[in-house]
Amino acid sequence: MTKKLIVGNWKMNGSLADNAALLGAVREGCAGGAAADLAFCASAPYLAQLQSLLCGSRIDWGAQDCSAHAAGAYTGEVSAAMLRDFGCRYVIVGHSERRQYHHESDDLVALKAQRALAAGVTPIVCVGETLADREAGRTEFVVKRQLSAVIHAVGHCSSEIVVAYEPVWAIGTGRTASPEQAQAVHVVLRAQLRAASVNTSHNRILYGGSMNAGNAAELLAQPDIDGGLIGGASLKAADFLQILASCPVEAARG
Ligand code: PEP
């Protein structure tokens, strides 16, 4: 039985006032229960605010990145242990915006995932192909290469990671993978995890890329899509709550 997981990625957005209003509305909206587990990943300066507003609620929180180092002379970096100090359950690693703008390699992302796990924070490992990759028929090769670096680094702890399949061409573009396209890649990723992990029953594979109130139900109905990583639509409480409401009731997977 897999309960869906819906994670909001605020990216570099938010303010103390906006965050409080958004979280208040989401808390109110799911006060009677939520069909899925949920979390928000915020920029580091707001983690203390999330901790204070969400502690004791059904909503988890996390960060959008962490250092590949444990501690030391790495000015500007935030370690996974620091995230744990602020109650983070999750940290996104390898988001395509970091791979693209900060030139993060598969190996660096893998180290970050390793640091997160060592600190007791669950890494949400993002993988995804560019449009050029897809058009060249390289989707499977690319996502497997990205995930394999993490599996290799974290070994038997692979069963503890969350994976987010985020086709780069669908992020922030309004262009979503079709449910069939997403499901097909999720099947590949799940098989890869199965082949590598001791126990994959904990692994959740999220879809991310322009998921919104209008397309969430169809995507989340796919048997291997265990939830969503939501960018733009996580900044509006009504949209986020609608996505949450689109989650089907838990279903058994064979
Ligand atoms: C993301 O940033 O992880 C994402 C999926 O963004 P969006 O939903 O805006 O495409």
Side-chain angles (χ1 to χ4, degrees):
M1 301 282 273
T2 304
K3 193 173 187 186
K4 306 275 181 191
L5 170 63
I6 303 294
V7 180
N9 172 19
W10 286 348
K11 312 197 189 204
M12 200 174 72
N13 293 295
S15 68
L16 289 173
D18 289 349
N19 302 347
L22 176 54
L23 294 175
V26 172
R27 280 191 72 165
E28 205 178 300
C30 59
D37 292 328
L38 67 158
F40 286 102
C41 291
S43 299
Y46 294 128
L47 294 175
Q49 183 193 24
L50 268 65
Q51 183 176 35
S52 110
L53 292 178
L54 298 178
C55 199
S57 79
R58 65 178 75 241
I59 307 173
D60 290 308
W61 61 95
Q64 299 171 4
D65 184 36
C66 70
S67 177
H69 304 282
Y74 302 103
T75 303
E77 295 247 60
V78 177
S79 74
M82 292 170 185
L83 301 181
R84 190 63 236 168
D85 267 352
F86 285 89
C88 288
R89 175 150 185 191
Y90 299 105
V91 59
I92 297 170
V93 296
H95 191 282
S96 64
E97 287 152 13
R98 295 210 59 88
R99 292 182 191 262
Q100 185 180 351
Y101 305 136
H102 301 273
H103 310 293
E104 295 196 0
S105 66
D106 294 344
D107 288 344
L108 185 77
V109 172
L111 268 175
K112 290 181 176 200
Q114 206 176 31
R115 290 290 179 207
L117 286 165
V121 180
T122 299
I124 299 176
V125 178
C126 297
V127 301
E129 81 287 5
T130 63
L131 188 57
D133 290 328
R134 177 161 281 270
E135 286 175 348
R138 287 165 44 90
T139 298
E140 190 169 323
F141 169 79
V142 170
V143 298
K144 284 175 84 171
R145 189 201 69 216
Q146 291 171 333
L147 183 56
S148 134
V150 174
I151 290 172
H152 183 71
V154 307
H156 68 276
C157 292
S158 299
S159 57
E160 304 301 322
I161 68 174
V162 172
V163 177
Y165 168 54
E166 298 209 310
V168 179
W169 47 271
I171 297 179
T173 58
R175 193 175 161 187
T176 318
S178 70
E180 295 73 23
Q181 283 173 322
Q183 165 66 15
V185 178
H186 281 230
V187 167
V188 167
L189 295 170
R190 194 174 306 284
Q192 189 179 5
L193 284 165
R194 275 215 180 102
S197 301
V198 177
N199 172 6
T200 55
S201 59
H202 298 304
N203 288 123
R204 288 197 276 199
I205 307 178
L206 315 183
Y207 169 77
S210 298
M211 192 189 274
N212 58 41
N215 60 29
E218 247 196 317
L219 286 159
L220 293 168
Q222 299 302 308
D224 285 283
I225 298 186
D226 302 323
L229 182 55
I230 321 292
S234 71
L235 294 168
K236 291 189 192 129
D239 290 359
F240 192 75
L241 287 167
Q242 184 61 49
I243 293 171
L244 210 54
S246 307
C247 289
V249 180
E250 293 178 35
R253 180 184 299 119

